[in-house]
Amino acid sequence: MNLLPRSSREFGSADYWEKFFQQRGKKAFEWYGSYLDLCGVLHKYIKAKDKVLVVGCGNSELSEQLYDVGYQDIVNIDISEVVIKQMKERNAGRRPQMSFLQMDMTKMELPDASFQVVLDKGTLDAVLTDEEEKTLEKVDRMLAEVGRVLQVGGRYLCISLAQTHILKKVVGHFSREGWMVRVHQVTNSQNQSSETEPQFSLPVFAFIMTKFRPVSGSAFQILELCAQEQGKPVRLENTERLAEAVRERQRYAWLRSQLSRKAGPGSVSLDLCDGSTGEPRYTLHVVDTPTVKLSRDNHFAIFITQKKRKKDKKKLRPADALENPPVPESQPIDKSFLCCEHHKAMVAGLALLKNPGMLPEASLSFLVVGLGGGSLPLFIHDHFLKSHVDAVEIDPSMLEVATRWFGFTQSDRMKVHIADGLDYITNLAREAQARYDVIMFDVDSKDPTVGMSCPPPAFVDHAFLQNVKGILTQEGVFILNLVCRDSGLKDSVLAGLKKVFPLLYVRQIEGEVNEILFCQLQPEHKLATPELLEMAQALERTLRRPGKGFDSTYVLSDMLKTVKIV
């Protein structure tokens, strides 16, 4: 029997709940946790002598179990006539002091300041399904009624998944009213009892809003988070920081949920933080694709990428992945294997150079900004035998990791420069001499305030792109990994690139946000797709020559079939 609504809006409809409880029957519905899941936080904030109002009680056993352990002054209300009748019949003889009333919580027929506690398990979430004006007005009426019936010093206990729009609304409303706001993490999908109906990947939270007497002209806020049910509260400076702290707990719980599944998501990510400051330092990406036949014996991959440091706002960080998991030094690393699809596309873009079939033996000069695990510069070094590669990396620890664990080595043809990529290119541009046949950017900012995570905005600034142009040969190619979810910002970036590089190709990576941009200076050298594929095949034939260990699963021309000219 399917009891789910056709849309989330129906959760706020009285008709939906009437039909729900008619079809559900008398079996208790425990959403967001049973009494056993919630009793720790409930006993902390409800006293046995408190008069408690339960809004949207449904047919949950929560009120009954609270009653049975000593909380007997409880009034339950619900908009559904069907469920109120069921609950009256179920409790008439066993719990005589507990009452059940059919009532709309947005216009409660109850006296002012008549309760010490208002308890809400999932009701606010059911009502606040979107941020449309009509919905927000209904929620305003509901929260105003909660405030009206509570005494000063009383508490609104709201059990919720604390989705962003809900957190924003409820915390904003009560903090403006001068109430104390505390958020408790109660439970998550790993420790919910078997009695709970749906199992959620997100953790369940309890909002505890304590009503203070209004102080005229005061803007003081008390905002606290308890990351554990019985944990010590941590004071936070503003609602934005509280919301971010909740999101961090949600992301961590989601990660645990994904890792615990037998059929995993394929990849998950986790920030690794500095132990002393708590600041994010690296992002750990775990990739597990057991159904994919790899060209080697490894069954998973770990990617480590450096987080941007606050004190260094403009600095780059590598988006390059550490494709091979740590292995004993005695085990050889397959340097012909490119794990990342965007790296494969970047290498395929070399077919845009003149005489691609001759490139592996040509004396080419490469600049790769962002070292990461070193797989991209290593591939170039090992397959283009007369090339010279300069790699620029801001973090010396990344060079140490790449060298120690991933087989990266420098040579007379491969040099790593520990520097800021912006400064390195700007200094070279001052010399007014073209140096590189190929320039590759694969750098990531991790700045959540910008709709573009790769590259940092400074790397596509017009003045800096002019510097890139100044160190690129006339027939060279500038290849850029772009990760941008903001369509308006992306259009602006493409327009800015076109002003400096008149010939611009774009290749979308399937299933990802990444787009690889191939930029050239001579628009008269524009290639149609058949010509481009033919050049890619010529390059691949040379790279596949015997003894060179070229990855048999990597087809260069496939990487360029969907390329478009902007």
Side-chain angles (χ1 to χ4, degrees):
M1 178 169 53
N2 185 11
L3 299 177
L4 292 175
R6 289 186 295 272
S7 74
S8 59
R9 293 181 184 176
E10 289 193 33
F11 281 126
S13 162
D15 290 341
Y16 167 74
W17 290 111
E18 287 287 271
K19 293 176 183 177
F20 178 92
F21 288 114
Q22 284 173 352
Q23 294 180 48
R24 172 85 180 183
K26 297 181 180 181
K27 183 182 178 183
F29 183 69
E30 301 295 351
W31 211 358
Y32 293 4
S34 68
Y35 170 76
L36 292 176
D37 296 314
L38 304 174
C39 61
V41 73
L42 296 180
H43 291 178
K44 186 179 179 73
Y45 294 103
I46 306 176
K47 300 173 185 176
K49 63 180 181 179
D50 284 342
K51 187 170 185 178
V52 180
L53 172 65
V54 180
V55 294
C57 63
N59 64 3
S60 168
E61 295 176 348
L62 184 62
S63 298
E64 298 164 326
Q65 291 167 325
L66 281 170
Y67 186 99
D68 293 345
V69 296
Y71 300 87
Q72 297 191 348
D73 197 352
I74 301 177
V75 176
N76 301 272
I77 68 170
D78 198 284
I79 201 169
S80 168
E81 181 181 1
V82 170
V83 81
I84 290 298
K85 182 179 178 182
Q86 290 176 359
M87 295 302 282
K88 283 181 175 179
E89 292 173 355
R90 198 162 89 188
N91 290 278
R94 299 172 59 190
R95 301 175 182 91
Q97 294 175 254
M98 186 160 63
S99 59
F100 292 88
L101 305 172
Q102 182 191 2
M103 195 175 294
D104 184 343
M105 62 196 165
T106 66
K107 43 187 178 182
M108 295 187 282
E109 300 169 13
L110 298 167
D112 294 355
S114 52
F115 293 91
Q116 283 84 39
V117 176
V118 174
L119 178 57
D120 167 355
K121 189 178 75 160
T123 303
L124 177 65
D125 286 15
V127 175
L128 186 48
T129 55
D130 54 56
E131 295 185 277
E132 292 187 3
E133 184 178 355
K134 185 176 179 181
T135 303
L136 294 177
E137 288 175 354
K138 184 175 183 179
V139 171
D140 284 336
R141 294 196 301 271
M142 171 187 170
L143 299 182
E145 282 290 88
V146 168
R148 182 183 66 80
V149 302
L150 271 177
Q151 299 177 2
V152 173
R155 297 161 300 284
Y156 173 42
L157 269 67
C158 177
I159 309 301
S160 168
L161 289 183
Q163 293 160 288
T164 301
H165 68 290
I166 292 171
L167 184 75
K168 174 184 172 184
K169 181 63 179 176
V170 71
V171 173
H173 176 92
F174 288 110
S175 62
R176 285 192 300 272
E177 295 290 320
W179 294 32
M180 175 181 171
V181 175
R182 180 177 289 176
V183 181
H184 263 276
Q185 182 173 342
V186 178
T187 184
N188 57 45
S189 58
Q190 276 70 43
N191 58 24
Q192 282 180 326
S193 73
S194 59
E195 299 173 17
T196 304
E197 286 281 339
Q199 294 288 309
F200 298 101
S201 295
L202 294 176
V204 174
F205 291 88
F207 299 123
I208 299 93
M209 313 295 185
T210 303
K211 183 177 180 179
F212 285 1
R213 196 178 302 279
V215 178
S216 179
S218 174
F220 183 67
Q221 294 181 325
I222 302 176
L223 306 169
E224 295 181 340
L225 174 73
C226 292
Q228 312 236 344
E229 188 175 281
Q230 300 298 332
K232 184 178 179 181
V234 176
R235 186 73 57 88
L236 298 167
E237 58 270 23
N238 52 50
T239 54
E240 291 76 18
R241 183 65 192 96
L242 177 61
E244 177 57 29
V246 170
R247 284 195 293 269
E248 288 172 0
R249 303 303 302 175
Q250 290 169 331
R251 287 193 288 262
Y252 177 65
W254 179 87
L255 174 65
R256 288 187 61 192
S257 172
Q258 298 303 300
L259 290 173
S260 68
R261 295 180 179 179
K262 291 182 179 180
S267 64
V268 292
S269 301
L270 178 68
D271 285 346
L272 306 179
C273 301
D274 186 291
S276 57
T277 66
E279 291 294 329
R281 184 72 194 280
Y282 296 95
T283 301
L284 174 67
H285 307 273
V286 181
V287 178
D288 184 11
T289 51
T291 60
V292 175
K293 183 178 181 181
L294 299 179
S295 62
R296 52 183 148 176
D297 293 333
N298 297 326
H299 298 291
F300 67 92
I302 297 175
F303 303 76
I304 304 175
T305 53
Q306 179 195 3
K307 298 285 284 186
K308 190 176 82 168
R309 293 164 285 187
K310 284 187 176 180
K311 65 181 182 180
D312 206 2
K313 292 288 185 182
K314 74 172 185 175
K315 302 296 186 182
L316 68 93
R317 57 154 293 227
D320 180 28
L322 305 188
E323 288 86 355
N324 308 292
V327 294
E329 293 184 4
S330 60
Q331 180 178 332
I333 293 175
D334 183 359
K335 300 177 185 179
S336 71
F337 186 82
L338 289 173
C339 179
C340 297
E341 290 299 302
H342 71 276
H343 281 172
K344 294 178 181 180
M346 293 173 83
V347 170
L350 301 179
L352 290 165
L353 294 173
K354 189 177 180 180
N355 298 322
M358 304 295 292
L359 292 181
E361 299 295 336
S363 180
L364 297 173
S365 184
F366 289 80
L367 174 62
V368 179
V369 182
L371 175 66
S375 63
L376 182 59
L378 269 179
F379 184 94
I380 294 167
H381 176 273
D382 290 355
H383 289 84
F384 297 83
L385 302 179
K386 295 184 180 180
S387 65
H388 181 89
V389 183
D390 286 321
V392 179
E393 171 55 55
I394 195 171
D395 189 348
S397 64
M398 294 303 292
L399 174 59
E400 180 183 350
V401 170
T403 303
R404 181 177 179 184
W405 296 110
F406 301 99
F408 182 80
T409 55
Q410 299 188 63
S411 70
D412 57 346
R413 294 193 297 110
M414 171 90 81
K415 299 294 182 184
V416 176
H417 306 269
I418 301 300
D420 179 350
L422 296 169
D423 295 339
Y424 183 86
I425 290 175
T426 300
N427 291 335
L428 285 182
R430 291 195 183 106
E431 300 176 13
Q433 181 180 352
R435 290 174 174 265
Y436 296 105
D437 301 291
V438 181
I439 299 174
M440 295 179 167
F441 281 5
D442 191 16
V443 290
D444 192 0
S445 72
K446 280 288 186 185
D447 186 346
T449 64
V450 180
M452 178 173 65
S453 60
C454 184
F459 280 80
V460 289
D461 177 76
H462 180 76
F464 182 69
L465 290 176
Q466 290 287 354
N467 290 335
V468 176
K469 174 183 175 181
I471 63 171
L472 184 69
T473 59
Q474 278 297 303
E475 295 184 343
V477 60
F478 168 39
I479 304 174
L480 170 69
N481 179 23
L482 176 67
V483 181
C484 185
R485 289 175 169 82
D486 184 325
S487 58
L489 178 58
K490 181 169 70 174
D491 291 342
S492 175
V493 170
L494 294 177
L497 283 164
K498 281 278 287 184
K499 288 179 181 179
V500 181
F501 299 93
L503 181 54
L504 177 58
Y505 302 85
V506 177
R507 203 282 191 182
Q508 172 73 51
I509 303 299
E510 290 81 2
E512 300 181 22
V513 184
N514 302 63
E515 292 179 277
I516 306 304
L517 312 182
F518 307 102
C519 313
Q520 292 188 292
L521 295 169
Q522 298 178 321
E524 63 273 16
H525 290 174
K526 178 173 65 175
L527 297 174
T529 301
E531 296 174 277
L532 188 55
L533 297 182
E534 185 178 334
M535 295 179 74
Q537 290 163 359
L539 174 58
E540 185 177 333
R541 282 194 296 270
T542 309
L543 290 173
R544 287 187 183 277
R545 61 191 183 279
K548 293 303 177 183
F550 192 78
D551 180 9
S552 60
T553 66
Y554 180 22
V555 180
L556 265 67
S557 57
D558 286 351
M559 292 288 111
L560 301 178
K561 284 181 178 178
T562 58
V563 163
K564 297 179 180 179
I565 297 178
V566 177

